Amino acid sequence: MESDFQHRLLALHYVYPKPLSRLNRILEKDPELQFFYRMPIYELAEALNIPSAQAGRIKSAYIHSLQIPFRQIYEKHSIFPISFKHSIYPSSLHDLIDPPVVLYAKGHIDLLAHPSKIAIIGSREASVYSELALSKIIPPLIDQNTVIVSGLAKGADAMAHSKTIKMGGRTIAVVGSGFLHPYPKENAVLQYIIEENHLLVSEYPPYMPPKKWNFPMRNRIISGLSKGIVVTEAKVKSGTLSTIEHALDHGKDIFAVPGNIDSALSEGPHKLIKEGAKPVWNGWQILEEYER
């Protein structure tokens, strides 16, 4: 956090928290953001592909945010901001079409560099069947030192984090809001446990409230961090399957838990299996894929 560039980047991200793809034209012209504050509004509007009025507001807010002592504030709240240029920024995220500009992290940031990470996702309406599936899938993964990644949503995500913690494993939660706005409220205690003992990650500045469009964006990070993704239960049209779309775009392994043919929550996994996902019902089947 010591560099001048880091401070300027945090100031810009504070007022314009967009993916790197939206800033590329700015950074091509001004890689260190040394002259951003002097950029003409018409040029800024063109580079960001936004109206001039919005560009003017962003520039004004940016100049003001340069005065904010981000280092002291984030240290006070145990937040570690990791820019896309930082040495511990996960290289796999650079493979995304729209990598995060900054990852805000709380907890054990060394987990980002862990070589074996598997995501487990599923419906917010997940049933006890997901609990049963996770009791078969997670223990072997933990036994082989695999980190479990999920999105801290209610339902299957919370089950995956909780089961991992209970079994003595390590987990990464990728959230769709800033750290000052835990979401959902019913997982606030779980979020606290993860940020204290595991790793909590967001691409949004701490003040950012949860917005519905944040969560599809969050899903690409879950996929980007993981070498494979397990789906427990999900409807065919769901946010869970949007994560799978990101994963397929980047060649990730997809695993799906077969379920009751009478359940709508089994339709998503069954569709994935039909399309080529590997059916699994215990964690050893997943590990076997990486022993070949």
Side-chain angles (χ1 to χ4, degrees), residues 167-285:
M167 298 294 297
R170 293 176 294 175
T171 190
I172 299 173
V174 185
V175 296
S177 60
F179 294 152
L180 296 180
H181 297 275
Y183 183 84
K185 296 294 185 183
E186 55 262 50
N187 287 346
V189 172
L190 179 58
Q191 177 167 323
Y192 176 77
I193 292 170
I194 291 172
E195 69 184 45
E196 287 292 308
N197 302 296
H198 301 269
L199 180 62
L200 187 71
V201 173
S202 176
E203 69 173 316
Y204 299 106
Y207 70 84
M208 181 70 74
K211 303 288 186 182
K212 68 177 183 178
W213 53 81
N214 291 1
F215 297 95
M217 296 296 289
R218 181 265 326 258
N219 292 344
R220 81 195 195 287
I221 300 177
I222 294 174
S223 169
L225 290 176
S226 310
K227 63 182 181 181
I229 299 180
V230 181
V231 180
T232 59
E233 294 179 294
K235 294 179 180 178
V236 171
K237 294 183 179 181
S238 67
T240 299
L241 295 198
S242 77
T243 308
I244 298 302
E245 291 174 7
H246 287 294
L248 291 173
D249 287 342
H250 297 93
K252 301 300 176 79
D253 299 306
I254 309 300
F255 306 95
V257 178
N260 188 330
I261 60 174
D262 289 330
S263 171
L265 292 175
S266 296
E267 291 177 1
H270 291 167
K271 180 176 185 291
L272 292 173
I273 292 169
K274 182 180 178 182
E275 294 173 351
K278 181 177 177 60
V280 294
W281 46 91
N282 68 66
W284 297 113
Q285 295 168 305

Side-chain angles (χ1 to χ4, degrees), residues 77-132:
H77 294 281
S78 301
I79 297 171
F80 193 91
I82 304 167
S83 81
F84 70 96
K85 286 188 174 184
H86 200 291
S87 61
I88 62 173
Y89 185 93
S91 59
S92 59
L93 294 184
H94 283 297
D95 295 332
L96 300 176
I97 297 171
D98 47 3
V101 171
V102 178
L103 285 179
Y104 298 89
K106 296 191 77 170
H108 295 269
I109 59 174
D110 58 299
L111 292 179
L112 288 174
H114 195 283
S116 180
K117 295 190 284 290
I118 292 291
I120 298 178
I121 59 175
S123 174
R124 287 173 169 79
E125 303 166 2
S127 71
V128 292
Y129 185 73
S130 281
E131 288 270 19
L132 175 62

